[in-house]
Amino acid sequence: DSERPDPNDGLPAMPVGDWAQDKHALLKLYIEISRGARGKFLGPGKAGATFIDLYCGSGRAYLKNTDSFIDGSPLVAWKASVDCKVPFSEVHLNDSDSTLLDAAFVRLKSLGAPVRKYGGEAAEVAKQLASSLNPYALHCALLDPFSLELPITVIRSLASLKRMDLLIHVSAMDLQRNWVRYMQTENSPLDLFAPGWRGHVDQAQPDDSARLSFVNYWVS
């Protein structure tokens, strides 16, 4: 599967599995149940409430092997905040693919979102955001890469802000498919995802147990 133009606007849409709808439902639910807290930070003289999507994609997707198109995470988040009548005061987008990033930016702009785009590696953008965002605002960051290529430095940078909620998708599929290869490769994505894991995970144990130990170490 490859990207396709969305018939609604001609901009690119990415292929996703139908499980993406479950993931988006959880994102929407979070935004709905946090509307009360978010509202306290909005209005004249208030610090604001931001949404950050560091792996935003194009903002639209289609379900693999179908002709069904759906909103991607940045559009889901913005629309949910508007529907709650407590819209984010800022939306910050990043993706290493400039074509996809531009598409997401245009789509959010057309919805009237106060959006800013960056472009580059997530770790560098996270560091930039940590130093430039209002430290008194309420922040929500979605970290949803296609694989386990999520450096722990991204989380550390964002978590330096006092009020930061992190919604993180850990790719179980990538861990399942590539565990043996990652385990046998020096400087694999796992070493950036959970530095020091090799000293805490018994790699001689069965793969299922080793993967669980790895995830538990990452959580710690």
Side-chain angles (χ1 to χ4, degrees):
D1 296 284
S2 58
E3 64 185 59
R4 288 191 210 163
D6 187 327
N8 288 336
D9 57 18
L11 295 171
M14 301 299 295
V16 295
D18 56 7
W19 51 266
Q21 297 176 97
D22 297 331
K23 180 175 62 180
H24 293 158
L26 291 172
L27 172 61
K28 182 179 178 183
L29 177 61
Y30 161 79
I31 290 170
E32 290 171 348
I33 64 177
S34 62
R35 63 185 178 274
R38 190 165 60 252
K40 296 177 182 179
F41 291 83
L42 299 174
K46 301 291 184 67
T50 73
F51 179 73
I52 301 160
D53 194 337
L54 291 185
Y55 303 88
C56 68
S58 66
R60 288 279 287 173
Y62 69 92
L63 302 180
K64 291 180 180 178
N65 304 314
T66 76
D67 293 320
S68 297
F69 287 78
I70 62 173
D71 285 338
S73 55
L75 271 69
V76 168
W78 172 249
K79 289 180 178 179
S81 74
V82 171
D83 290 344
C84 291
K85 304 188 187 311
V86 191
F88 292 105
S89 57
E90 298 175 7
V91 177
H92 299 270
L93 298 182
N94 179 67
D95 200 280
S96 58
D97 186 315
S98 61
T99 299
L100 301 183
L101 175 62
D102 288 346
F105 179 79
V106 168
R107 284 171 166 143
L108 277 172
K109 270 291 189 184
S110 71
L111 295 174
V115 59
R116 179 178 175 184
K117 64 177 179 176
Y118 295 82
E121 294 301 319
E124 290 303 315
V125 175
K127 185 187 301 184
Q128 179 182 347
L129 288 170
S131 63
S132 63
L133 292 178
N134 189 327
Y136 302 103
L138 178 66
H139 306 288
C140 168
L142 175 68
L143 304 178
D144 183 19
F146 280 113
S147 65
L148 286 172
E149 295 193 13
L150 171 58
I152 197 71
T153 53
V154 171
I155 298 172
R156 287 175 176 158
S157 293
L158 295 176
S160 68
L161 289 159
K162 183 178 181 180
R163 299 181 180 89
M164 172 64 72
D165 287 352
L166 294 171
L167 283 72
I168 304 173
H169 172 221
V170 176
S171 178
M173 185 178 298
D174 189 22
L175 192 61
Q176 178 81 19
R177 288 180 173 176
N178 297 306
W179 169 255
V180 173
R181 180 169 64 87
Y182 286 161
M183 186 172 56
Q184 296 173 348
T185 304
E186 290 187 19
N187 300 317
S188 78
L190 302 188
D191 295 295
L192 294 176
F193 184 82
W197 71 273
R198 297 178 190 273
H200 292 80
V201 176
D202 178 5
Q203 299 172 51
Q205 63 186 311
D207 288 344
D208 285 349
S209 299
R211 285 192 291 263
L212 179 59
S213 296
F214 172 80
V215 172
N216 287 336
Y217 171 70
W218 175 77
V219 170
S220 74

